[in-house]
Structures are given as structure tokens and as C-alpha cells.
Amino acid sequence: MKVLVVGNGGREHAIAKKLLESTRIKQVFCVPGNGGTATTQGCQNLSLNIDDFQGIERFVMVNNIGLVIVGPELPLSLGIADYFQQRKMMIFGPTKAGAQIESSKSWAKELMLEAGIPTPKAAVFTDAEAAKAYVLEQGTPIVIKADGLASGKGVTVATTVKMAHSAINTIFRGEFGTDNLRVVVEEFLTGQEVSILALTDGITVEPLLPAQDHKAIGEGDQGANTGGMGAYAPAPIVTPELMERIQEEILEPTLAALQKRKIDYRGVLYAGLMITPDGEPKVLEFNCRFGDPETQAVLSLLETPLEDLVLACCQQRLGEYSIRWKSGASVCVVLASGGYPGSYQKGKVITGIEEAEAKGAEVFHAGTQLKQQQLVSDGGRVLGVTATGETLEQAISKAYAAVDCIQFEGVYCRRDIGRRALGDKN
Ligand code: AMP
Ligand code: GLY
């Protein structure tokens, strides 16, 4: 079978490589892909836009592609799954209605409240002054969230009223889009965040291994928020008992609430949770897709062929599978361009990937490009160096040994990816 993957991040490179582990997958096409998918054997990039549904459809038809997997939220929120489903083509990812769980925080909040899903207390405002008055009433710290998609930039954890008010002003100035201006003002929670990526066919929902992302740019979780500086799996804070609670109190009721809204959700349901100090799992956000860089860590441990699971989701047969995992742990360390998440330079020549892979790691590309046969940086997050080991300690040291082989001007990474889990255990 031939598969087409939509997206150009580390997540999509990891999905493409995982698919190609199976002898049944003959070729993977990426729209638009990156320098990694351009150089992976069996993989080919297509210079089409991710919102060019007609162009993608034409390629799928002409080339007899059996399955489309959508990485990012944007095409899902624009209805790519609806478009392909209407044309009886196999596509992995929820419809536009389902993608609202990520594309509208107020919609997701309403769904959670209706279904009794544990989530921080919040209020939704369409008016800046009312939102500001509510902040004064509640006090700080408090969390201000833009309603729509904001490429990870729409959330402010405000420690002062001034900060909260300024975040509200930014949102109502239309910085994150001007359609349907709304703000969600949410109770601040402390605890540990975990990412639960679950597969669903609309009937059954099966969590993948729990993962933990490192969102802050600096070590010890200091500094600005990023798309994710590294991840590891499985996250030991999610014990089997806690996973059972997450399944029963969050994943299953969410799916039931979607069904109640007549939404046939097939794809990934990603629950971003806070595990509060008293051990309660609460939903901070839902995403309608695989996480990046959690996917790089989680798929490295997946034993069941990915295409079997993805096809089972599309064909409502997920109940036939019990997902198998390799033993041990996995860690993905992101190498970023100096300056990220602020401004940074692109076009820096990257060396040492082969040496890094010779250390037993797998290097997934994110912001890279092949330019005149030379691999150069092309984004904020450039590479995801991923290693597995029998223990998390082993995975971490293997990943960093590989990281140290790679060079490009200004390269930056956090040196503490996964360390929090080691602290937990001791
Ligand atoms: P979100 O996009 O909703 O996951 O928010 C981005 C980040 O903001 C999360 O990963 C958390 O680190 C933080 N955050 C969001 N909501 C809360 C909350 N209610 N309490 C504390 N931190 C939060
Ligand atoms: N790693 C966070 C995300 O994918 O949204």
C-alpha cells in the first residue's frame, strides 16, 4: 500500500519512518514534508500546500494511494477529513466538527462540563471588559486562553492582573484571528502535565503510552513556552491505576459526548492533562492529532504495525486490537535554532546526523530542508534525536550521546529532557 502523510514536522517524519518499517508499505508521500522525508528511502515529498485538498485528492487518485494520514490540526480544522470521506477515500483524522475539540477551547470546555469531565473551572467571554472584571474577581495566577487555533501561542499563565488584562487585550485586538472573538479565563492549576494520545475509531478509544512533553525553552522548565523541546515515554507518573481512571473519567466520556453530538470521530484524541498534587487528572486541553514531539518518543516503542492501527481507526475495527509495546523507555531531545521561540536564523548547514544514528539513536527531522544536496536548518525546531533503552536512564544517555554528534551554527537543546521522571522515581 502507498500512504500519503500531510505535514512537515518531526511528527510526520516519525510517522513516515514507522510506516516504512512494515513490508506492506511500499511508499510514503509527504505533503510538503521536510529534509528528512526527502532523504528517507521509500519517502517522497510533494510540493503541494496542506490546504490544497483538490491537489492532494488528484495525486491520491492518480497514484492509487490507499490511505491519507493528517499530522497537523490546521487542515483538520479546515475539513480535510470531510473532503476525503465524501469522496470515499481512506483518511485518518477527525472531521471539521470533531476537530473543534482543538480549534475552539470554549467548545471543548462546554463539552467537558456537559459530560462531567474533570477540567479546571473556567468562564468564556465575548467581551474584553467582562473578562477583565472576572480576572479582578478571581485574582491571580490565572490562565487566559484565546479560543481558536494559535499555533501554541494563545495561552498566557498570568501571574499579575496586569499580565492577564494585557493578554485579554491582545486576544481582542485580533492577534490570534478575528473570527468569533472569545476568551477562556481558566483557574490556574499546579501539578505535572502529561500527554495522553489515544486512538479512536469513534466507538473504541485506546490510549497509547503516556508521555511527557517539555514545553519551556529553558532547563528546569524556565522561560518561554515552545512547541515542545523534548518528550519521553512512558511517563511513570501515570501508573496503571491512573491510566484506568483517565480511560474511565476522561477518554470514554469524551467519546460519548462526541457521539451525543453526532460526531463520528476517527483519529487521535490527545488529552493534555494536569495531574494535580493530590493525584487528580484534569484536562487542560484536547488536541485532534498526534502531539509533536510526543509522537517521536511514543512511536519508537510501538510494536503493533502503525498502519494496522490507523486503518482500524478508519474502518471502525479498533476493538480488534490490543496495542503491543516494546519494553523500556524512549526519549526525544529537540535540537532548536538559537533564538527560538523568538527570532532565529535559517539556512545553517547541519552535520553529524550519520554519526548520531551510529550511536543507536534515530534522528527525526522537523525544520530542515535539502538545498542543493545539502541539509540546512529551516525552522525553530530543527531535529528530534530519539533513543530507546531498557531504562529511561539508558535512553537519555544514548540520546544525548547522539545529540553531541550533531552540529549547526547556534544549535540549542535542553540537557534535562526526561530527568523529571528520574526524580519522581527516587
Ligand atoms: P494549552 O494549550 O491549553 O495546553 O496550554 C498551554 C500550556 O499552558 C499548558 O501546557 C500548560 O503548561 C499551561 N496551562 C494551560 N492551562 C493551564 C491551567 N489551567 N493551569 C496551569 N497551567 C496551564
Ligand atoms: N507537544 C504539544 C503539542 O503537540 O501540542
Side-chain angles (χ1 to χ4, degrees), residues 240-257:
E241 296 72 40
L242 181 56
M243 191 56 120
E244 212 164 290
R245 281 191 63 190
I246 293 169
Q247 175 77 7
E248 283 169 12
E249 295 174 22
I250 295 171
L251 299 175
E252 284 172 1
T254 302
L255 189 60

Side-chain angles (χ1 to χ4, degrees), residues 231-234 296-297 300-301 327-333 356 359-362 385-403 415-419 421-422 425:
Y232 67 92
Q296 293 85 312
S300 299
L301 293 171
S327 64
S330 169
V331 58
C332 171
V333 179
K359 301 265 183 204
E362 207 170 359
V385 179
T386 308
T388 58
E390 265 316 305
T391 63
L392 183 60
E393 289 91 329
Q394 284 170 9
I396 291 172
S397 51
K398 212 166 157 195
Y400 279 106
V403 162
R415 306 294 308 189
D416 64 345
I417 304 301
R419 298 269 165 219
L422 301 183
K425 274 202 241 160

Side-chain angles (χ1 to χ4, degrees), residues 11-287:
R11 164 184 56 204
E12 287 77 17
H13 192 203
I15 291 171
K17 283 186 92 172
K18 192 73 195 177
L19 290 169
L20 287 164
E21 281 178 15
S22 161
T23 50
R24 278 176 293 161
I25 304 296
K26 299 284 172 251
Q27 200 167 12
V28 177
F29 295 94
C30 292
V31 174
N34 58 31
T37 50
T39 48
T40 296
Q41 204 176 2
C43 226
Q44 192 184 321
N45 288 351
L46 304 175
S47 54
L48 288 167
N49 289 329
I50 59 173
D51 58 357
D52 178 7
F53 301 166
Q54 271 185 12
I56 300 173
E57 178 201 358
R58 220 172 296 127
F59 189 87
V60 164
M61 297 252 293
V62 171
N63 293 281
N64 201 17
I65 286 165
L67 170 68
V68 176
I69 300 180
V70 187
E73 61 278 16
L74 184 68
L76 292 168
S77 72
L78 294 174
I80 192 170
D82 310 63
Y83 185 95
F84 279 81
Q85 281 177 11
Q86 279 154 17
R87 287 158 181 80
K88 307 276 177 255
M89 291 172 178
M90 199 86 78
I91 186 156
F92 179 79
T95 57
K96 185 175 181 172
Q100 285 179 97
I101 204 150
E102 176 165 2
S103 67
S104 170
K105 290 198 188 276
S106 58
W107 189 88
K109 202 68 168 182
E110 209 169 282
L111 179 138
M112 285 189 264
L113 293 178
E114 179 196 292
I117 291 158
T119 182
K121 185 179 113 178
V124 180
F125 298 93
T126 51
D127 171 71
E129 292 317 309
K132 288 182 194 172
Y134 180 76
V135 166
L136 278 175
E137 202 181 287
Q138 298 293 313
T140 56
I142 198 154
V143 186
I144 311 296
K145 301 186 174 187
D147 190 48
L149 293 182
S151 313
K153 297 189 182 84
V155 176
T156 302
V157 176
T159 46
T160 62
V161 168
K162 195 171 160 209
M163 215 175 147
H165 283 190
S166 137
I168 292 167
N169 285 337
T170 307
I171 291 166
F172 282 100
R173 262 204 314 271
E175 200 117 321
F176 305 111
T178 47
D179 282 0
N180 207 9
L181 276 181
R182 268 161 211 264
V183 64
V184 178
V185 182
E186 192 171 86
E187 170 196 3
F188 171 79
L189 294 184
T190 56
Q192 274 210 50
E193 284 181 63
V194 292
S195 304
I196 304 294
L197 279 55
L199 296 178
T200 178
D201 59 0
I203 302 168
T204 307
V205 57
E206 276 285 335
L208 302 180
L209 288 181
Q212 207 159 23
D213 185 7
H214 298 59
K215 289 192 176 156
I217 187 72
E219 279 154 26
D221 296 327
Q222 300 298 308
N225 243 349
T226 70
M229 292 303 294
Y232 67 92
I237 186 172
V238 185
T239 58
E241 296 72 40
L242 181 56
M243 191 56 120
E244 212 164 290
R245 281 191 63 190
I246 293 169
Q247 175 77 7
E248 283 169 12
E249 295 174 22
I250 295 171
L251 299 175
E252 284 172 1
T254 302
L255 189 60
L258 289 164
Q259 287 164 347
K260 204 170 146 204
R261 283 167 159 75
K262 305 262 178 292
I263 293 173
D264 182 3
Y265 193 109
R266 306 183 196 189
V268 176
L269 179 65
Y270 164 156
L273 306 182
M274 185 72 92
I275 311 299
T276 63
D278 50 7
E280 297 294 311
K282 296 198 176 179
V283 180
L284 297 185
E285 63 161 351
F286 280 116
N287 292 320

